[in-house]
Amino acid sequence: MRSAMRPAKPTRRLPPKKPSGTSQKEPVGVYCRVRPLSPPDQECCIEVINETTVQLHPPDGCKTNRNGEYKATQYSFKEVFGTQVTQKELFDIVSRPLVEDLIRGKNGLLFTYGVTGSGKTHTMTGSPGDGGLLPRSLSMIFNSIGDFQAKRYVFKLDEKNGMDVQNEVDALLERQKREVQPQVVHRTPLSRQRMDPEFADMINIQEHCKVEDVDEDSVYSVFVSYIEIYNNYIYDLLEEVPLDPIKPKPPQSRILREDLNHNMYVAGCTEVEVKSTEEAFDVFWKGQKRRRIANTQLNRESSRSHSVFMIKLAQAPLDADGDHVLQEREQITLSQLSLVDLAGSERTNRTRAEGNRLREAGNINQSLMTLRTCIEVLRENQLCGTNKMVPYRDSKLTHLFKNYFDGEGKVRMIVCVNPKADDYEESLQVMRFAEMTQEVEVARPVDKPICGLTPGRRYRNQAFKEELTRRLEDRGGPLNGGDAEDQAVVEILIQSFPPLPSCELLDANDDQSLPKLIEVLEKRCRIRQMMAEEFNKNVCSFRAMLQDLNGVVTAKENIAQGRMTEKDKVIASQKSEIDRLDKKIKTLEYKIDILEKTTTIYEDEKRTIQQDLENHQQKLQRQLSDKRRLEGRLQGMMNENAMKWEKECERRVAAKQLEMQNKLWVKDEKLKQLKAIVTEPKGDKPERPPREKDREPRGDVYKTRGGGQSVQFTDIETLRQQSPPSGGRKRRSSPSNQPPQEETTDSDWTDVETRCSVAVEMRAGSNLGPGYEHHVVSKRRRP
């Protein structure tokens, strides 16, 4: 063989793992199954070395390594199944432990992984006459709990991945309600119907396997659901969509939610309660027909989606009497087994996919790549001690099963490979991913808590019922076989009598036979009489006993009847009280409805009024802020105008004061000149010395704000003049060599006013005279 000539690479050993902090962890169980070649004369690239190792070698024409030799690689798994393995052998090793854990209240996940056409669906479903893992798992479940199943609708699912327990009356009403609804899915048990011939041979499993240590003091119920993940959308394969030939309604996608225990579930998914393997597989087969498959270059019926068949087992303990199910929700144990058939990874250049097929292949490869990424991150976190975030949410497939990898159940994977040479590249990637997956450890699920009731309650209750039935039959006499018993008693009595001697007389003189016979008969008569007396005595005593027992029973019946009467009265009063309370409850509910409606109206009005109030308050706040802003602006304008007018008034007052002072100074100068003219002597007379009055100052000098000086006049002298008569006083004539002096005209005074009306600013230290920057109001002194 060609494979024998190729040097085999030693088995790859797993890298040493870091010691875990707890021993309650186990690695993911990865198994490998090699399908037979079809046709068998094809070139093979996979060889089974032993029970745990396979060797993958490149086919002819493939690239070689540096030495020019083929590079064969060996991969190790938990167990390797060759081409001759049967479905039963595969089930016993892989699926049977998961079913046992399911019945013990633990979760499990099993998925098949491989390239397109590697036998994943055949491994999961099987073929006619040879059922796969799914029908065998269902058969084992119902073989184990068949005698302990609860009646239909005793367990009731809620909408949040939880479970409730109904009493027998509510369950009966629910069954009657479902029976009158013809549109309810899977309402009639399959045992009353004719099985579909397509799968009749798949579930006809000859091997009767079951779990031995099933809790006999609990009741069980099985619910199944079937979904598919197509283009990263979740669809319910059991959803009944009404047929509309004119405008068909497309299926609606479902969403993932998280329950109170942080477990992921598909919201709104159809879950059907089943009571037999046939009924469960019928539900699966109806969903299987709706699954998306297509014809590709690699497979005539290639799965275009990931399918997930979920088996949910609900169990609850019986009460202390072993008759009814405990109504406590905390005592319910829910376990789930998920069987996943992954779509095959494929290369688009091989399938030659186009359009929708190409988009489907891209989404399939993307979801499988996300699964690989999550496994790689988990492996890195465990080996290296890191705490990287696992990207479960990148795909609906990994998001749905993240709880299993976080320690909510066992995880098993079957790697299906096709040994043909064309799938070498894809098989190589599958092998690498599978070997990496078994390096990931998941926490072991914990055992369910014990309810604390006495074990063996169910069988003790059955034995008690059988004994009670027997005693009731004894009291009422034998039901069957009374004549045979009487015959047996007669035979015993006959055997207790002495035997009769021979009655044959051979001689007429025989005088011994008759006396012996007479003696035996007399003895028999005495025995009979004694027995009759004993019997009568026993009958009398038994009659007396019966009479006493009858009296006791009658007394007990009277007591029980009295108690029953009292109980009936109590029940009647309680019923009347219940009716009264029901009426009161209805009245209160009606009042509550009215109050709720009134409250709603008032709350609406309150919200409206509050909204209006808030709007008005906001409006008032805006108006107040506008008012304050306007007041500030007006105050600023007023201050500005006041300062402006104050400066203007000061300027005008100062100007007016300066003007008045200038006018007064001019007038004073004019008066001085006029006085000088009036008092001027005609001849050259000596100048009269100034009077004391003239030498007195006529004004006060003040320093101005700008550093100058100003003068404030304190006295104003008014001179009056009368014109002399024409012949009177004459003007002094000027010398003869000068022209006669003319009288002073207004121009002279104007010139004086002009010269005297100019005010000169005088700075500090200057000798120019007083300035005019700051002046005070002139005050007159009284003469």
Side-chain angles (χ1 to χ4, degrees), residues 436-451:
M436 178 186 63
T437 302
Q438 60 186 349
E439 299 177 15
V440 176
E441 291 183 345
V442 295
R444 292 182 181 178
V446 297
D447 296 331
K448 67 176 183 178
I450 301 176
C451 65

Side-chain angles (χ1 to χ4, degrees), residues 262-275:
H262 305 288
N263 295 322
M264 303 306 301
Y265 70 97
V266 181
C269 179
T270 303
E271 294 184 272
V272 183
E273 185 178 7
V274 290
K275 295 299 179 182

Side-chain angles (χ1 to χ4, degrees), residues 595-657:
L595 291 175
E596 285 179 351
K597 292 179 181 179
T598 308
T599 304
T600 304
I601 295 173
Y602 285 157
E603 286 180 352
D604 293 339
E605 293 180 355
K606 179 182 177 181
R607 284 194 295 268
T608 304
I609 294 172
Q610 286 181 349
Q611 187 68 27
D612 295 340
L613 181 60
E614 290 177 357
N615 293 334
H616 286 302
Q617 288 180 350
Q618 292 176 359
K619 187 176 180 181
L620 289 176
Q621 291 291 339
R622 288 196 300 269
Q623 291 178 355
L624 184 60
S625 60
D626 293 341
K627 181 180 179 181
R628 291 177 180 175
R629 189 167 52 253
L630 183 60
E631 287 179 352
R633 187 182 301 172
L634 292 176
Q635 187 67 29
M637 292 175 62
M638 290 174 61
N639 294 335
E640 184 179 357
N641 290 332
M643 293 176 63
K644 182 177 178 181
W645 283 108
E646 184 178 355
K647 291 180 180 180
E648 182 67 21
C649 291
E650 290 179 357
R651 187 185 63 79
R652 291 185 181 184
V653 167
K656 195 67 175 178
Q657 288 179 352

Side-chain angles (χ1 to χ4, degrees), residues 451-503:
C451 65
L453 298 176
T454 306
R457 303 183 299 278
R458 182 191 293 269
Y459 287 132
R460 282 204 309 272
N461 185 44
Q462 292 180 358
F464 173 75
K465 289 181 178 179
E466 292 175 359
E467 181 67 18
L468 181 62
T469 303
R470 188 184 65 80
R471 291 190 178 185
L472 290 175
E473 291 177 356
D474 292 343
R475 285 185 60 186
L479 299 179
N480 295 315
D483 296 337
E485 292 180 359
D486 292 342
Q487 186 69 25
V489 171
V490 171
E491 290 179 358
I492 292 173
L493 289 175
I494 291 175
Q495 291 177 0
S496 63
F497 289 160
L500 293 175
S502 176
C503 297

